[in-house]
Amino acid sequence: MNGEFSPTPADPRRLGRLWFEAVHTLQAAQMGEGLALMNDSGLTLPQIIALHVLQTHGPYSVGAIAARVKLSAAATSHLVDRLVGLGLVERSEHAADRRQKRVALAAAPLARAAGGACRGSGRNPGRAGTGARAHGLRGAAGGCTMKHGFGPFALATLLLWAAAPPVRAEAPAEVASDGAGGPLLALREAIALGLAHNPAIDASRQSLDAAGHKIGQARAGFYPQLVMTLGYKRATMNQAMPPYFADMPAAAGGSFRSFMSRETMDNYDNFSAQAALTQTLWDGLRTLGSLRASEASAEGARADVSSAQDAVCMQVTQAYFAALAAQEATATALEVKRQMQRHIEVARALVAAEVRQRIDVVRAEADLAAAELGLRRARNAHELGRIGLNLAMGASGPPGYRIARPPPAEHEALPPVEEAVRAALVRRPEHASLAAKARAAEHQVMVARSALWPTASASASWSHAGYELGDLPYNWSLGVNVSWSAVQVVQTRDAVGEAEANHRALLANLRSLELGVRAEVEAAIVACREARERMEPAEAMIAAARETLRLAEGRYAAGAGSIIEVTDAQALYTQARLQLIQAELDAALGRARLRKVLGLRPCAEEER
């Protein structure tokens, strides 16, 4: 007014739409150049980030790389194996601790690979991306220039993606019912609890104790048997007259006959003391066979204790990793719920700016309700997993405990089948137990055959007997007894046949076990190899799903995408995350089962 210039107030809705369009254009350029960098170098995003970490911070252990790259220990180990195979990094033993491995960049990382990628893609290798070199990826981005000149900027975008919240959320503080903030229970501690409290191990130890007592019983057959008796009785002494007194003349023996034939209630004291010693001289090897059979049975019982311990270790390991997978699935479900809450906030902001329709908010609310339902199911599965772990341990862990992820383990080279089978047959306690039982059955054949032989024993005794304690005359005896039962020959022959059949049955079971051990070893090696091979695709899938979700969220925030696109990307991410958890579980259990079938404890720290 009055000829003065008055600026027109800006429309906030129009400014909001312009802002979203600008963000969408910039983000599309960043994402395209970032994906082009990955395509030209032939590397995945986690591999590029790992190389950046090694270039920036120097040699690292596998565990340290896993913490930096925000991947699991098993997935990081596969990633390092891949980079070592490509000649991009080198792995060596730690100078102070040879059990640890140090990973460092190779002398000329990615130089040949990047040059070939640039030539193959038609890009100009002469325009070196010095910005990318500044980020430590000398070969990955240094030999190629992005067509929009965004090479360094795209690489920075990729690294910012990696700096975002990790895919695997540790049990957040919000999930109090899931044991967040509680003590960590390590696999070694869980196995120690199982070995100390599982009743199956105690039962096997009691059987071993009983077998030891049987050895003592069998050994007692070699010792002399001493029997000592003391007797006292008060009795009458009436007796019938002998027949030869009946023919005596009355005049000669009448009074004597009347004395012998009388009956009276008069009674007298009777005292006796005796010590009898008996020693078996020969029993047809019955006692020796029983002793050898008892000793073999004790060896089998001792192997059964080891077998029970191995079974408990494997049971605890399986329950441990199942509970760990449920715990991480719960953390993933909680992360999905939080992402859905952010989606609702973005949708409401876009609806308020009249960029989107109300249906986007309704769809986001429905997705949040589904995420809440999935979280409750995951928490229930988590509780069931801890119940199963407590059952395997035979005791409850610390109140509110969390499952600790085991430290990263170096992948051992898979052994040749024949060598593994031979080692398994030597170490497996099941094989040792059955072999001992077969030896016991063989000695039982000796015991059964002993009935065909005569037995010989020597005896000696010393005794005192009389009617008054002050007048007990002594008697002694020495003797040798030989006996043989001819009527038991047929019965003994059948007993021998039964014992021999039992021995042959155990030998057949032993051969069957050896075939089963071979099959178990072969299957465990195949399963372990397959589980290791699944890790890299699963990790690549989660990386792609993460990128897809972020792209979809960016497109939706910029007004270019739809809420359905974000929902689909979220579902893909959740599925990929759960598949990665399952792949890690299978890899850990595959290694544990391989150690189990080889006769080793599933946990390396719990060797016999």
Side-chain angles (χ1 to χ4, degrees):
M1 297 181 180
N2 300 327
E4 296 181 0
F5 175 73
S6 299
T8 304
D11 184 0
R13 298 179 180 177
R14 181 172 177 273
L15 289 178
R17 285 193 296 269
L18 291 176
W19 168 255
F20 284 125
E21 291 177 3
V23 170
H24 168 62
T25 302
L26 181 60
Q27 186 184 48
Q30 296 175 12
M31 300 304 180
E33 297 301 339
L35 295 176
L37 171 61
M38 294 170 57
N39 180 64
D40 290 343
S41 64
L43 301 174
T44 63
L45 175 61
Q47 292 170 346
I48 293 177
I49 298 172
L51 292 173
H52 170 72
V53 169
L54 293 176
Q55 176 66 22
T56 305
H57 302 283
Y60 261 10
S61 65
V62 176
I65 296 175
R68 284 280 187 173
V69 184
K70 301 180 179 66
L71 299 178
S72 66
T76 305
S77 181
H78 283 287
L79 183 148
V80 171
D81 291 342
R82 177 67 174 170
L83 294 178
V84 170
L86 293 174
L88 307 180
V89 299
E90 297 174 344
R91 182 164 46 195
S92 60
E93 294 181 350
H94 194 280
D97 188 354
R98 300 185 62 184
R99 295 176 298 178
Q100 295 186 5
K101 303 294 183 182
R102 305 289 289 178
V103 181
L105 284 178
L110 301 178
R112 294 184 299 273
C118 290
R119 289 190 296 271
S121 61
R123 299 180 184 271
N124 181 12
R127 298 171 59 190
T130 57
R133 285 192 177 94
H135 285 275
L137 299 179
R138 296 175 295 184
C144 303
T145 302
M146 302 305 172
K147 59 184 179 181
H148 295 297
F150 284 88
F153 188 55
L155 178 58
T157 301
L158 290 176
L159 297 179
L160 285 175
W161 289 351
V167 173
R168 179 185 298 103
E170 299 296 339
E174 174 181 328
V175 198
S177 61
D178 299 331
L184 287 175
L185 179 66
L187 176 59
R188 180 179 63 256
E189 298 169 348
I191 290 180
L193 285 173
L195 293 176
H197 299 288
N198 195 292
I201 297 179
D202 185 60
S204 63
R205 286 173 176 164
Q206 297 304 322
S207 298
L208 175 59
D209 186 54
H213 290 298
K214 287 184 178 180
I215 294 178
Q217 295 177 34
R219 189 177 289 117
F222 291 107
Y223 304 145
Q225 305 297 315
L226 177 62
V227 179
M228 302 180 69
T229 60
L230 292 174
Y232 166 79
K233 68 179 180 179
R234 188 169 183 87
T236 62
M237 298 185 62
N238 298 324
Q239 60 181 346
M241 184 177 64
Y244 51 83
F245 285 138
D247 298 333
M248 293 181 62
S255 60
F256 181 76
R257 285 188 301 174
S258 62
F259 173 77
M260 292 295 297
S261 61
R262 72 187 181 91
E263 295 181 358
T264 179
M265 292 299 294
D266 296 339
N267 52 81
Y268 306 92
D269 293 326
N270 290 268
F271 301 95
S272 64
Q274 183 181 23
L277 184 68
T278 304
Q279 173 65 58
T280 300
L281 302 178
W282 171 258
D283 60 358
L285 302 179
R286 173 185 293 273
T287 302
L288 180 61
S290 298
L291 176 61
R292 294 290 182 263
S294 299
E295 291 174 343
S297 297
E299 292 178 11
R302 190 174 296 106
D304 288 339
V305 172
S306 298
S307 180
Q309 291 174 339
D310 289 352
V312 168
C313 286
M314 191 64 213
Q315 183 182 358
V316 171
T317 301
Q318 290 176 330
Y320 184 91
F321 282 109
L324 176 61
Q327 175 179 289
E328 296 194 352
T330 302
T332 299
L334 180 59
E335 179 65 21
V336 170
K337 177 184 175 181
R338 290 174 173 175
Q339 291 173 349
M340 292 303 179
Q341 291 172 337
R342 290 196 296 268
H343 294 169
I344 288 181
E345 295 173 359
V346 173
R348 287 173 178 170
L350 293 177
V351 171
E354 297 185 356
V355 176
R356 293 291 181 184
Q357 300 297 321
R358 172 64 182 169
I359 191 174
D360 286 6
V361 177
V362 176
R363 178 62 184 269
E365 290 174 347
D367 292 339
L368 177 60
E372 177 65 27
L373 179 60
L375 176 59
R376 294 185 180 183
R377 290 176 177 173
R379 283 174 171 168
N380 181 64
H382 184 198
E383 290 300 320
L384 293 177
R386 288 203 290 188
I387 291 174
L389 178 56
N390 290 339
L391 176 63
M393 294 188 300
S396 298
Y401 67 87
R402 289 180 295 144
I403 308 299
R405 173 170 286 276
E410 295 290 338
H411 287 303
E412 303 172 354
L414 296 177
V417 174
E418 295 300 328
E419 177 182 344
V421 170
R422 288 194 298 269
L425 292 178
V426 172
R427 300 193 192 104
R428 288 281 289 269
E430 301 95 324
H431 186 270
S433 174
L434 196 54
K437 292 176 181 178
R439 292 195 299 272
E442 183 179 7
H443 293 304
Q444 288 295 339
V445 175
M446 180 192 302
V447 173
R449 286 176 178 168
S450 65
L452 297 173
W453 296 88
T455 60
S457 63
S459 62
S461 67
W462 183 277
S463 64
H464 291 267
Y467 301 106
E468 296 181 359
L469 288 177
D471 184 20
L472 298 176
Y474 69 87
N475 291 283
W476 60 267
S477 66
L478 293 174
V480 176
N481 298 319
V482 177
S483 64
W484 180 66
S485 177
V487 297
Q488 294 184 354
V489 173
V490 176
Q491 178 182 356
T492 302
R493 187 179 301 167
D494 291 335
V496 171
E498 178 186 2
E500 291 176 340
N502 291 334
H503 180 224
R504 291 193 298 269
L506 286 173
L507 291 179
N509 291 338
L510 186 61
R511 291 192 297 271
S512 178
L513 177 63
E514 292 173 353
L515 294 176
V517 167
R518 171 178 289 275
E520 289 179 1
V521 169
E522 293 177 350
I525 290 177
V526 171
C528 191
R529 182 186 299 113
E530 185 267 343
R532 292 182 182 182
E533 292 173 350
R534 282 170 49 200
M535 286 301 304
E536 187 171 356
E539 194 63 45
M541 183 177 179
I542 191 64
R546 184 194 301 121
E547 295 163 13
T548 301
L549 177 59
R550 292 180 177 176
L551 282 170
E553 290 176 340
R555 282 171 51 80
Y556 182 73
S562 66
I563 191 65
I564 297 178
E565 182 179 337
V566 175
T567 301
D568 292 343
Q570 182 67 62
L572 178 63
Y573 163 76
T574 304
Q575 180 184 7
R577 180 71 188 95
L578 294 178
Q579 288 185 0
L580 178 60
I581 292 174
Q582 187 62 44
E584 293 173 345
L585 173 64
D586 292 343
L589 289 181
R591 177 176 177 271
R593 290 193 183 100
L594 179 59
R595 293 181 60 84
K596 171 68 168 57
V597 300
L598 292 179
L600 303 172
R601 289 284 167 82
C603 184
E605 293 87 350
E606 297 295 335
E607 294 297 340
R608 297 187 189 90

